[in-house]
Amino acid sequence: MRETSKQRLYFCVFIIAGILTVCAPRAVTQAKNADINRYQTQLSRALLSHDLKAQSDALEGLAESYRAIGDSLKAISMVKRTLAIEREVHDRDGEARSLVTLAAVYTDGGDPKKALPILTSASATLESLEDRQGQASALTATGEAQWALGNSEVAFALYQSALDLYSDLQDQRAEGVVLSDIGSYYWGAGKSDSALNFYNRAIARETESNDLSDEGVTLYAIGLVHEGIGEHQQALSFYQQAVGLEKETGNRSTLSASLHGIGEVYQDLGQPRKALTYDRQALILEKTVGDQDAEATTLTNLGTVYGELGLRRTALTILNRALTIHEKTGNRRLVAITLHDLGELYKELGNTQRALENYSKALPVEIEVGDQDAEARTRWRMALALSANSLPEYFRALSLAETVQDLNLQGQINNSLMVYFDLKKEETIAIYFGKEAVSSFQKIRANLAGLEVALQRSFAVSKGEVYRSLADLLIKQGRLPEAEQVLDLLKNQEYSDYVRSETVKGGTPPSFTHAEQESEAAYQKSTSQLIALSRRWSELKKTSPRSPEQEKEYQQLSDQLEEGSKGLNDYIARLYTILVNDSNANKQVNDEKEDVSLLKQTIAKIPHTVGLYTLVGKDHTSVIVITGSTAVAREYAITEADLGEKVADLRDVMRGPSRDPRPLAQELYKILIAPVKSDLDQAGAETLVWSLDGVLRYVPIAALYDGHQYLVEEYNTVMITPASIPHIMEKPDVSTLSAAAMGISGKYEDGLSALPAVVDELDEVVQDKQVKGANGALPGKILLNEQFTEKAMEEQLGSQHTVVHIASHFVFKPGDDTQSYLLLAGKDQGGAGYHLTVANFRDNQKLPLDDTVLLTLSACETGTNGKASNGREVDGLGRTAQEKGARAVISTLWAVYDASTGKLMGDFYKRWADGAGNVTKAEALRMAQLDLLRGTLKPNTDPIGRGFGKTKAGPDLQSGYAHPYYWAPFVLMGNWQ
């Protein structure tokens, strides 16, 4: 139901600018109470002295002051008293100028019809008197009245004539007003670049003349343009600057419009309740100043907000109130906007006929007044309501949206076309439009990078389903590499929302060929046997020499695999070609084209390794199985909500050792492993390389249960993200590794307990001759307690250590990297606890991880709340370290138990180092986990957690550390070799 601010608010510039139009050579004062008091004092004195000239001057000053603060009723009263005096003294020039002021005030108050005949009379008088200043003022005021009535071309011609006169008169302030009006004309015509050009020229004139009131109006107008083209960060900045100036000058009308604009931004970004706050503030101001059109416009927006909040009957009442006011004032543009919103509301209420009636009334007005953005929206909504025979309306709407550069609208229409063609079973065409939709939203996301994280997240949440729907369609068609890259793109989006990293700009979308469309059906038919065929093909490929029978079989299998996989490599770069086009982005295109190929190449070179990409859909979950030579997709029917519940329930059980997790772990095994188990068996899988989507990132994969054993008892598991791909083929030389092990064992602040097991843990990791008892698996340096400062950490990471191990408390605040922190003993020197935030860690160039083979965060604790979260930060946190260069990261999914963590880490490093390159990190971690599960490592100390203090229950000495609570939270991400 939500529309962008462009079609609702750009007209306001003209109404508000009228307040500031220069109507006379007399001083136009800033709107402050002191000015009003001064003019009232002058008027009292003039009345006592019967000085008509002084009375007229004081009344004019009061009229302009009341206009400047948006009090139209008092301004009209003052102008009428001025007119009486001017007529009494036969001052024709003064009378004509005052009539121009009166007409402008009527336009300000939402009654431009009443203004036009007054302006016609005044203009004739001013022309006969050859008052060029007065003529220019009348032209400007007439242009604003015509614009308010929807006659934009007439208004533009009048503005041009006024600008010529003001330029001749060298009236910079007046030039600024008209330049702003012309900018608004171009904005209304969908020419944002020209609009910004004229607005910037207006700002220059207003700055030169020190006219804060006019500058506030223009800043608001610039914000309006940026919002309309999807640049919400810039829009919010200009609206806020305008509010500052408007509060300083006391201009209540423009202040209400800017508050309204801020509300529009929040509504655009999916925060209707926050929008409601600003719209209510604006409405109070508009009622105070008596601006009917502005009041009705805010009512229209309030109606849409209430509609979004599900209060549709309330919204209907408010929108009808707004329509009545707009019809009364005769502003056709606003009438059309409100009719459009009523149409959308009726559609939401299920009354399609009433919706189409309102759309049909709005459309001819939008065409007449040249409001292309509004026309595009109405045609789009009509197409949605019509369903049948709606395609022509969709394409007309899309063409218009592209003309006015409305990215959000383009994305919405393309998304609707994706749904349209999907329902018609034209999946290839549907995918094309889905890519176009994602492209538009990616461009908007690039413009949100500087906004607060909550706003970026709100927008991402509101559009995330489009990404998922597109990936779902790609999977249905068997276009698996493209689907994988859409999933990676979604993860990149979620990561950027978390760390506020720089985003890339969008690019030019490709077109589909007939050959591409024809290839899909054949590929779909051949996928069922691809895994088995590819395994046999790989065996024959390695056979040399092959017998005649083997050679024949090999050629037949090659042909079958070629047919099934024909389209995979062709599609790899398509989505990124749409989304990125600058130099860095072009490099990313090439990188991404290599990523999937590199993953397949790596899996092909590493025996018994299989990649598993997951996608959580609305009503099913898909797992893409990738071997060295092919890929297929399997599905399990379950709604996204039900899956989320199952994951949340399992995590709840896993957060302590008191309950049996196996029944819940078995349910998730049926969803994620059972559908692909035969594929894994055919591939002889031993190591599973996972890319987890959405809530699945909360799942402790190693703890999935098949009814007899945990997954860790059968497979090595590793997680990857897009940042992992470039380094997965690197095999570290274990013999040359050295480690920096840092940790906190003492208590440094309330709520975070001492961690006594950290001392033994660091000793088990590092062999440091300067530390007694430090006989660990790797040579290196230990920093414990007071030594573990940010400065010391910088020194160690700047040295040649290739392994970094950190054992401390990590407190995670979901979605906020400025509040999530690692506990250190100090910044420059030890003493008091110091919070090294994720944001500081990421941005500190003195904390590099470029040559780090492994970063282990043995204390990491995500701090999430199960059912209230969706898994984004799991990837985001690991990716932060990988973006800084770490080849692999070990972190945890929940607050870990101190004693068992120390034992597991010592076991892991010993197995990895002693393996002398023959034991991978994934294998070493699995074996360490099995040692806890099977009782090789037993408990011997009190329960302490490394998240938020002590755990509620320690290990049962009989079962030891067998519960997954102790061993399952540890996740290896990135290079597993």
Side-chain angles (χ1 to χ4, degrees):
M1 180 170 177
R2 168 75 184 126
E3 315 300 339
T4 64
S5 61
K6 179 177 179 181
Q7 73 178 79
R8 287 201 179 88
L9 291 183
Y10 68 80
F11 72 92
C12 290
V13 176
F14 300 91
I15 296 173
I16 296 167
I19 296 170
L20 306 168
T21 302
V22 179
C23 298
R26 304 167 182 85
V28 179
T29 62
Q30 293 186 349
K32 296 179 181 178
N33 287 333
D35 295 324
I36 293 173
N37 291 335
R38 177 163 54 85
Y39 283 123
Q40 286 175 336
T41 300
Q42 291 177 9
L43 180 60
S44 298
R45 291 173 180 170
L47 288 169
L48 288 173
S49 64
H50 303 287
D51 186 337
L52 293 178
K53 177 66 169 61
Q55 290 177 39
S56 179
D57 289 343
L59 287 166
E60 287 174 356
L62 284 168
E64 290 299 331
S65 295
Y66 284 124
R67 278 193 72 203
I69 61 172
D71 195 334
S72 299
L73 296 177
K74 288 184 179 178
I76 288 170
S77 175
M78 296 301 107
V79 175
K80 286 182 175 179
R81 289 175 64 181
T82 304
L83 280 168
I85 294 173
E86 289 164 342
R87 286 165 181 163
E88 182 179 345
V89 299
H90 304 292
D91 182 356
R92 292 180 64 209
D93 188 61
E95 179 185 350
R97 287 168 175 264
S98 293
L99 286 171
V100 172
T101 301
L102 180 63
V105 176
Y106 281 132
T107 300
D108 300 344
D111 197 354
K113 279 185 178 180
K114 199 169 185 178
L116 283 178
I118 297 172
L119 287 165
T120 300
S121 174
S123 296
T125 302
L126 291 166
E127 186 176 356
S128 67
L129 295 172
E130 298 183 354
D131 182 347
R132 300 182 72 206
Q133 183 82 38
Q135 289 177 55
S137 299
L139 286 167
T140 304
T142 306
E144 286 161 356
Q146 291 286 1
W147 175 261
L149 289 169
N151 301 320
S152 55
E153 294 298 330
V154 175
F156 178 67
L158 291 164
Y159 293 146
Q160 289 284 18
S161 298
L163 184 62
D164 292 340
L165 281 173
Y166 284 134
S167 297
D168 290 343
L169 294 166
Q170 298 184 337
D171 188 335
Q172 289 184 332
R173 180 180 180 279
E175 275 190 80
V177 171
V178 180
L179 285 168
S180 183
D181 284 348
I182 294 174
S184 298
Y185 162 79
Y186 279 116
W187 174 228
K191 300 177 180 179
S192 56
D193 291 340
S194 297
L196 289 173
N197 177 42
F198 276 91
Y199 284 144
N200 286 323
R201 288 173 60 186
I203 286 285
R205 296 292 190 277
E206 289 152 1
T207 301
E208 290 171 6
S209 59
N210 195 31
D211 191 339
L212 297 182
S213 292
D214 286 1
E215 188 176 348
V217 173
T218 307
L219 287 170
Y220 160 76
I222 293 173
L224 204 57
V225 175
H226 284 296
E227 185 187 351
I229 60 178
E231 296 176 348
H232 294 86
Q233 179 187 350
Q234 295 92 323
L236 198 57
S237 173
F238 280 106
Y239 286 149
Q240 289 168 341
Q241 291 179 59
V243 166
L245 286 180
E246 287 149 2
K247 287 182 176 179
E248 184 177 345
T249 61
N251 192 330
R252 289 179 290 179
S253 286
T254 47
L255 176 59
S256 72
S258 296
L259 290 169
H260 192 137
I262 293 172
E264 288 276 353
V265 171
Y266 285 121
Q267 196 174 353
D268 285 343
L269 296 177
Q271 295 196 358
R273 294 191 182 279
K274 202 164 186 177
L276 206 59
T277 300
Y278 285 94
D279 283 333
R280 284 170 174 166
Q281 293 179 45
L283 189 62
I284 291 170
L285 287 169
E286 288 153 359
K287 286 182 176 180
T288 301
V289 302
D291 188 338
Q292 290 181 300
D293 267 331
E295 178 186 345
T297 300
T298 300
L299 285 172
T300 299
N301 206 59
L302 281 169
T304 66
V305 174
Y306 280 118
E308 287 184 13
L309 294 172
L311 302 171
R312 295 190 178 92
R313 294 294 174 186
T314 301
L316 195 61
T317 301
I318 292 173
L319 286 172
N320 278 312
R321 279 177 57 197
L323 182 62
T324 300
I325 295 173
H326 287 320
E327 288 176 339
K328 179 181 176 182
T329 61
N331 193 314
R332 292 175 298 162
R333 189 186 305 272
L334 302 184
V335 168
I337 290 170
T338 310
L339 284 168
H340 174 101
D341 288 336
L342 277 167
E344 177 57 18
L345 186 56
Y346 278 120
K347 183 175 179 294
E348 294 290 334
L349 289 167
N351 193 335
T352 303
Q353 186 58 41
R354 290 293 298 275
L356 286 170
E357 288 174 4
N358 281 278
Y359 292 146
S360 298
K361 291 177 183 177
L363 187 60
V365 179
E366 292 161 348
I367 294 171
E368 182 183 349
V369 300
D371 191 343
Q372 292 180 310
D373 192 67
E375 182 187 347
R377 291 180 178 279
T378 299
R379 290 190 182 280
W380 170 48
R381 294 297 188 184
M382 289 179 74
L384 286 171
L386 287 167
S387 296
N389 302 317
S390 58
L391 202 55
E393 289 296 348
Y394 276 131
F395 284 114
R396 290 192 190 102
L398 186 58
S399 177
L400 288 165
E402 290 170 349
T403 298
V404 299
Q405 303 174 38
D406 191 330
L407 287 174
N408 192 49
L409 181 56
Q410 289 174 49
Q412 290 172 316
I413 297 170
N414 277 308
N415 182 45
S416 295
L417 284 164
M418 176 173 65
V419 173
Y420 174 92
F421 283 108
D422 184 27
L423 290 173
K424 290 186 172 296
K425 307 301 182 185
E426 296 281 356
E427 291 176 346
T428 302
I429 302 175
I431 287 169
Y432 170 78
F433 288 107
K435 288 182 177 182
E436 290 284 8
V438 167
S439 175
S440 295
F441 296 143
Q442 284 294 102
K443 291 173 186 176
I444 294 175
R445 284 190 57 249
N447 295 322
L448 298 180
L451 288 178
E452 59 185 276
V453 176
L455 292 179
Q456 296 184 50
R457 189 183 304 113
S458 292
F459 183 81
V461 168
S462 69
K463 306 301 181 187
E465 188 57 35
V466 180
Y467 292 72
R468 295 179 185 277
S469 296
L470 173 59
D472 200 16
L473 282 170
L474 287 164
I475 286 177
K476 287 180 179 178
Q477 283 212 326
R479 297 163 66 171
L480 303 180
E482 288 176 277
E484 292 163 12
Q485 292 202 2
V486 172
L487 295 180
D488 287 346
L489 180 62
L490 185 57
K491 289 187 177 185
N492 283 336
Q493 169 179 333
E494 293 164 348
Y495 168 70
S496 296
D497 295 333
Y498 170 61
V499 299
R500 303 194 300 275
S501 62
E502 182 176 304
T503 52
V504 293
K505 297 179 180 179
T508 303
S511 58
F512 290 153
T513 66
H514 291 294
E516 289 170 340
Q517 296 179 33
E518 293 170 357
S519 69
E520 299 304 325
Y523 174 76
Q524 189 75 21
K525 293 177 182 177
S526 62
T527 59
S528 59
Q529 297 298 318
L530 282 182
I531 291 289
L533 293 177
S534 64
R535 187 177 185 191
R536 177 59 178 160
W537 178 85
S538 297
E539 291 173 357
L540 290 171
K541 185 173 186 286
K542 295 175 184 177
T543 303
S544 180
R546 288 188 286 269
S547 67
E549 292 78 14
Q550 289 175 326
E551 181 63 25
K552 181 179 179 181
E553 182 184 4
Y554 176 73
Q555 293 298 331
Q556 289 175 339
L557 289 174
S558 296
D559 292 340
Q560 288 177 280
L561 287 173
E562 181 180 0
E563 181 181 2
S565 301
K566 192 174 182 180
L568 292 179
N569 292 329
D570 294 336
Y571 298 130
I572 288 191
R574 293 288 173 83
L575 187 57
Y576 280 84
T577 302
I578 290 175
L579 293 175
V580 289
N581 64 2
D582 62 15
S583 57
N584 290 330
N586 287 332
K587 181 180 183 297
Q588 184 181 2
V589 171
N590 294 327
D591 291 344
E592 293 294 337
K593 288 173 68 176
E594 294 172 359
D595 285 349
V596 173
S597 175
L598 181 58
L599 178 58
K600 287 186 175 182
Q601 291 173 19
T602 303
I603 289 174
K605 294 177 181 178
I606 303 177
H608 312 300
T609 302
V610 174
L612 298 168
Y613 271 69
T614 63
L615 171 65
V616 178
K618 283 184 178 181
D619 53 12
H620 64 271
T621 292
S622 300
V623 181
I624 304 172
V625 185
I626 305 170
T627 67
S629 56
T630 191
V632 295
R634 308 301 180 202
E635 293 184 354
Y636 185 91
I638 183 172
T639 67
E640 186 175 7
D642 288 345
L643 178 65
E645 290 290 331
K646 289 183 183 296
V647 172
D649 290 343
L650 177 62
R651 283 180 57 82
D652 186 50
V653 170
M654 290 289 189
R655 286 178 177 274
S658 61
R659 290 181 287 170
D660 185 357
R662 288 173 294 185
L664 293 170
Q666 188 171 0
E667 289 185 32
L668 285 169
Y669 181 96
K670 292 175 182 176
I671 296 168
L672 296 176
I673 300 298
V676 301
K677 188 64 170 70
S678 63
D679 298 324
L680 299 180
D681 292 343
Q682 290 177 44
E686 295 177 1
T687 298
L688 307 184
V689 181
W690 291 86
S691 176
L692 296 173
D693 182 35
V695 74
L696 293 178
R697 274 166 277 180
Y698 283 140
V699 175
I701 295 294
L704 297 181
Y705 189 71
D706 68 0
H708 302 285
Q709 63 180 0
Y710 290 108
L711 198 70
V712 70
E713 298 180 78
E714 187 172 6
Y715 300 109
N716 304 310
T717 60
V718 62
M719 312 303 160
I720 60 168
T721 69
S724 311
I725 303 296
H727 306 295
I728 58 176
M729 294 189 70
E730 298 175 7
K731 190 169 184 177
D733 183 351
V734 178
S735 65
T736 63
L737 297 178
S738 67
M742 300 165 274
I744 297 290
S745 66
K747 182 178 176 62
Y748 278 80
E749 58 185 61
D750 293 339
L752 299 177
S753 61
L755 302 172
V758 165
V759 177
D760 289 339
E761 178 180 331
L762 300 187
D763 288 347
E764 291 290 329
V765 173
V766 169
Q767 184 179 40
D768 186 343
K769 295 180 181 180
Q770 298 180 3
V771 178
K772 184 179 179 180
N775 300 309
L778 299 174
K781 179 72 175 176
I782 289 178
L783 299 179
L784 180 65
N785 292 334
E786 303 297 295
Q787 300 172 313
F788 185 21
T789 65
E790 184 179 29
K791 182 177 181 180
M793 189 177 178
E794 290 173 352
E795 292 173 354
Q796 293 303 312
L797 265 62
S799 64
Q800 298 302 310
H801 297 302
T802 49
V803 174
V804 178
H805 184 95
I806 297 175
S808 178
H809 285 288
F810 183 86
V811 178
F812 190 80
K813 303 294 183 183
D816 191 345
D817 58 355
T818 64
Q819 297 298 316
S820 304
Y821 65 87
L822 180 71
L823 180 66
L824 275 60
K827 182 172 176 59
D828 295 324
Q829 58 184 17
Y834 175 71
H835 294 178
L836 178 64
T837 68
V838 174
N840 291 338
F841 177 69
R842 182 194 66 234
D843 297 335
N844 188 342
Q845 298 301 309
K846 296 180 181 178
L847 295 174
L849 295 171
D850 302 281
D851 298 317
T852 302
V853 170
L854 173 66
L855 168 65
T856 299
L857 301 169
S858 80
C860 254
E861 198 273 307
T862 61
T864 55
N865 294 317
K867 297 177 183 178
S869 305
N870 67 2
R872 288 182 177 172
E873 66 274 10
V874 178
D875 252 12
L877 184 59
R879 176 82 179 270
T880 300
Q882 289 191 313
E883 286 291 328
K884 287 181 70 71
R887 303 303 191 263
V889 177
I890 293 179
S891 59
T892 63
L893 294 173
W894 54 76
V896 295
Y897 180 72
D898 186 46
S900 59
T901 297
K903 290 179 179 295
L904 181 141
M905 288 300 165
D907 193 13
F908 161 72
Y909 280 103
K910 187 176 190 322
R911 289 181 177 281
W912 185 36
D914 289 353
N918 295 317
V919 177
T920 67
K921 292 189 285 290
E923 290 169 334
L925 179 60
R926 173 174 173 257
M927 287 186 283
Q929 289 174 313
L930 288 174
D931 283 343
L932 290 181
L933 171 62
R934 294 172 176 171
T936 305
L937 300 174
K938 298 183 180 295
N940 58 4
T941 189
D942 293 330
I944 296 175
R946 299 187 185 182
F948 294 99
K950 292 190 177 184
T951 59
K952 293 183 179 179
D956 180 339
L957 294 180
Q958 296 300 318
S959 60
Y961 295 129
H963 196 285
Y965 161 71
Y966 300 106
W967 52 263
F970 300 95
V971 176
L972 172 63
M973 182 182 295
N975 181 292
W976 65 90
Q977 300 190 63

mmCIF file of all heavy atoms in Angstrom, residues 359-376:
data_model
loop_
_atom_site.group_PDB
_atom_site.id
_atom_site.type_symbol
_atom_site.label_atom_id
_atom_site.label_comp_id
_atom_site.label_asym_id
_atom_site.label_seq_id
_atom_site.Cartn_x
_atom_site.Cartn_y
_atom_site.Cartn_z
ATOM 1 N N TYR A 359 -8.814 3.848 -8.860
ATOM 2 C CA TYR A 359 -7.669 3.937 -9.768
ATOM 3 C C TYR A 359 -8.080 4.612 -11.077
ATOM 4 O O TYR A 359 -7.346 5.452 -11.624
ATOM 5 C CB TYR A 359 -7.120 2.544 -10.077
ATOM 6 C CG TYR A 359 -6.460 1.844 -8.917
ATOM 7 C CD1 TYR A 359 -6.551 0.458 -8.789
ATOM 8 C CD2 TYR A 359 -5.739 2.543 -7.957
ATOM 9 C CE1 TYR A 359 -5.932 -0.209 -7.737
ATOM 10 C CE2 TYR A 359 -5.129 1.892 -6.897
ATOM 11 C CZ TYR A 359 -5.239 0.508 -6.790
ATOM 12 O OH TYR A 359 -4.638 -0.146 -5.754
ATOM 13 N N SER A 360 -9.262 4.240 -11.590
ATOM 14 C CA SER A 360 -9.735 4.797 -12.867
ATOM 15 C C SER A 360 -10.003 6.283 -12.773
ATOM 16 O O SER A 360 -9.851 7.018 -13.759
ATOM 17 C CB SER A 360 -11.003 4.056 -13.311
ATOM 18 O OG SER A 360 -10.730 2.682 -13.534
ATOM 19 N N LYS A 361 -10.407 6.765 -11.606
ATOM 20 C CA LYS A 361 -10.612 8.201 -11.409
ATOM 21 C C LYS A 361 -9.275 8.939 -11.297
ATOM 22 O O LYS A 361 -9.140 10.065 -11.760
ATOM 23 C CB LYS A 361 -11.440 8.448 -10.142
ATOM 24 C CG LYS A 361 -12.894 8.018 -10.229
ATOM 25 C CD LYS A 361 -13.590 8.251 -8.890
ATOM 26 C CE LYS A 361 -15.040 7.756 -8.914
ATOM 27 N NZ LYS A 361 -15.691 7.922 -7.587
ATOM 28 N N ALA A 362 -8.315 8.295 -10.662
ATOM 29 C CA ALA A 362 -7.018 8.955 -10.447
ATOM 30 C C ALA A 362 -6.199 9.046 -11.726
ATOM 31 O O ALA A 362 -5.533 10.056 -11.981
ATOM 32 C CB ALA A 362 -6.228 8.195 -9.388
ATOM 33 N N LEU A 363 -6.237 8.008 -12.562
ATOM 34 C CA LEU A 363 -5.338 7.917 -13.713
ATOM 35 C C LEU A 363 -5.453 9.077 -14.690
ATOM 36 O O LEU A 363 -4.419 9.668 -15.059
ATOM 37 C CB LEU A 363 -5.566 6.583 -14.430
ATOM 38 C CG LEU A 363 -4.588 6.269 -15.568
ATOM 39 C CD1 LEU A 363 -3.154 6.221 -15.062
ATOM 40 C CD2 LEU A 363 -4.958 4.950 -16.243
ATOM 41 N N PRO A 364 -6.656 9.478 -15.152
ATOM 42 C CA PRO A 364 -6.709 10.589 -16.117
ATOM 43 C C PRO A 364 -6.182 11.901 -15.549
ATOM 44 O O PRO A 364 -5.603 12.711 -16.285
ATOM 45 C CB PRO A 364 -8.199 10.689 -16.464
ATOM 46 C CG PRO A 364 -8.918 9.946 -15.392
ATOM 47 C CD PRO A 364 -7.988 8.898 -14.918
ATOM 48 N N VAL A 365 -6.363 12.124 -14.254
ATOM 49 C CA VAL A 365 -5.837 13.345 -13.635
ATOM 50 C C VAL A 365 -4.321 13.312 -13.627
ATOM 51 O O VAL A 365 -3.650 14.311 -13.941
ATOM 52 C CB VAL A 365 -6.379 13.514 -12.203
ATOM 53 C CG1 VAL A 365 -5.788 14.776 -11.564
ATOM 54 C CG2 VAL A 365 -7.899 13.580 -12.211
ATOM 55 N N GLU A 366 -3.740 12.172 -13.280
ATOM 56 C CA GLU A 366 -2.283 12.035 -13.246
ATOM 57 C C GLU A 366 -1.697 12.241 -14.631
ATOM 58 O O GLU A 366 -0.635 12.862 -14.783
ATOM 59 C CB GLU A 366 -1.915 10.651 -12.698
ATOM 60 C CG GLU A 366 -2.262 10.478 -11.229
ATOM 61 C CD GLU A 366 -2.347 9.027 -10.793
ATOM 62 O OE1 GLU A 366 -2.355 8.138 -11.665
ATOM 63 O OE2 GLU A 366 -2.422 8.789 -9.576
ATOM 64 N N ILE A 367 -2.377 11.750 -15.653
ATOM 65 C CA ILE A 367 -1.909 11.954 -17.028
ATOM 66 C C ILE A 367 -2.000 13.428 -17.399
ATOM 67 O O ILE A 367 -1.080 14.000 -17.987
ATOM 68 C CB ILE A 367 -2.744 11.099 -18.004
ATOM 69 C CG1 ILE A 367 -2.500 9.603 -17.739
ATOM 70 C CG2 ILE A 367 -2.400 11.444 -19.449
ATOM 71 C CD1 ILE A 367 -3.432 8.689 -18.505
ATOM 72 N N GLU A 368 -3.116 14.063 -17.021
ATOM 73 C CA GLU A 368 -3.342 15.468 -17.363
ATOM 74 C C GLU A 368 -2.314 16.387 -16.736
ATOM 75 O O GLU A 368 -1.806 17.307 -17.385
ATOM 76 C CB GLU A 368 -4.748 15.882 -16.917
ATOM 77 C CG GLU A 368 -5.098 17.327 -17.266
ATOM 78 C CD GLU A 368 -6.469 17.719 -16.756
ATOM 79 O OE1 GLU A 368 -7.229 16.814 -16.314
ATOM 80 O OE2 GLU A 368 -6.767 18.917 -16.762
ATOM 81 N N VAL A 369 -1.982 16.142 -15.462
ATOM 82 C CA VAL A 369 -1.046 17.037 -14.767
ATOM 83 C C VAL A 369 0.404 16.629 -14.992
ATOM 84 O O VAL A 369 1.319 17.285 -14.494
ATOM 85 C CB VAL A 369 -1.345 17.094 -13.251
ATOM 86 C CG1 VAL A 369 -2.750 17.593 -13.002
ATOM 87 C CG2 VAL A 369 -1.117 15.741 -12.584
ATOM 88 N N GLY A 370 0.624 15.556 -15.724
ATOM 89 C CA GLY A 370 1.984 15.145 -16.065
ATOM 90 C C GLY A 370 2.742 14.486 -14.935
ATOM 91 O O GLY A 370 3.975 14.494 -14.921
ATOM 92 N N ASP A 371 2.022 13.889 -13.983
ATOM 93 C CA ASP A 371 2.666 13.226 -12.847
ATOM 94 C C ASP A 371 2.963 11.780 -13.242
ATOM 95 O O ASP A 371 2.189 10.863 -12.986
ATOM 96 C CB ASP A 371 1.743 13.286 -11.626
ATOM 97 C CG ASP A 371 2.454 12.853 -10.354
ATOM 98 O OD1 ASP A 371 3.514 12.215 -10.457
ATOM 99 O OD2 ASP A 371 1.949 13.176 -9.257
ATOM 100 N N GLN A 372 4.129 11.586 -13.845
ATOM 101 C CA GLN A 372 4.465 10.270 -14.387
ATOM 102 C C GLN A 372 4.702 9.223 -13.301
ATOM 103 O O GLN A 372 4.381 8.051 -13.471
ATOM 104 C CB GLN A 372 5.704 10.386 -15.282
ATOM 105 C CG GLN A 372 5.449 11.176 -16.555
ATOM 106 C CD GLN A 372 6.684 11.280 -17.413
ATOM 107 O OE1 GLN A 372 7.761 11.644 -16.948
ATOM 108 N NE2 GLN A 372 6.550 10.952 -18.676
ATOM 109 N N ASP A 373 5.270 9.645 -12.183
ATOM 110 C CA ASP A 373 5.497 8.716 -11.091
ATOM 111 C C ASP A 373 4.171 8.188 -10.554
ATOM 112 O O ASP A 373 3.996 6.980 -10.345
ATOM 113 C CB ASP A 373 6.289 9.391 -9.976
ATOM 114 C CG ASP A 373 6.805 8.402 -8.954
ATOM 115 O OD1 ASP A 373 7.676 7.588 -9.299
ATOM 116 O OD2 ASP A 373 6.322 8.441 -7.803
ATOM 117 N N ALA A 374 3.216 9.097 -10.346
ATOM 118 C CA ALA A 374 1.904 8.693 -9.855
ATOM 119 C C ALA A 374 1.192 7.822 -10.897
ATOM 120 O O ALA A 374 0.555 6.823 -10.549
ATOM 121 C CB ALA A 374 1.063 9.928 -9.543
ATOM 122 N N GLU A 375 1.333 8.185 -12.158
ATOM 123 C CA GLU A 375 0.715 7.381 -13.217
ATOM 124 C C GLU A 375 1.281 5.968 -13.229
ATOM 125 O O GLU A 375 0.532 4.982 -13.382
ATOM 126 C CB GLU A 375 0.951 8.053 -14.577
ATOM 127 C CG GLU A 375 0.306 7.309 -15.727
ATOM 128 C CD GLU A 375 0.676 7.881 -17.081
ATOM 129 O OE1 GLU A 375 1.238 8.996 -17.146
ATOM 130 O OE2 GLU A 375 0.420 7.198 -18.096
ATOM 131 N N ALA A 376 2.596 5.865 -13.061
ATOM 132 C CA ALA A 376 3.226 4.548 -13.048
ATOM 133 C C ALA A 376 2.682 3.700 -11.910
ATOM 134 O O ALA A 376 2.373 2.515 -12.088
ATOM 135 C CB ALA A 376 4.745 4.695 -12.908
#
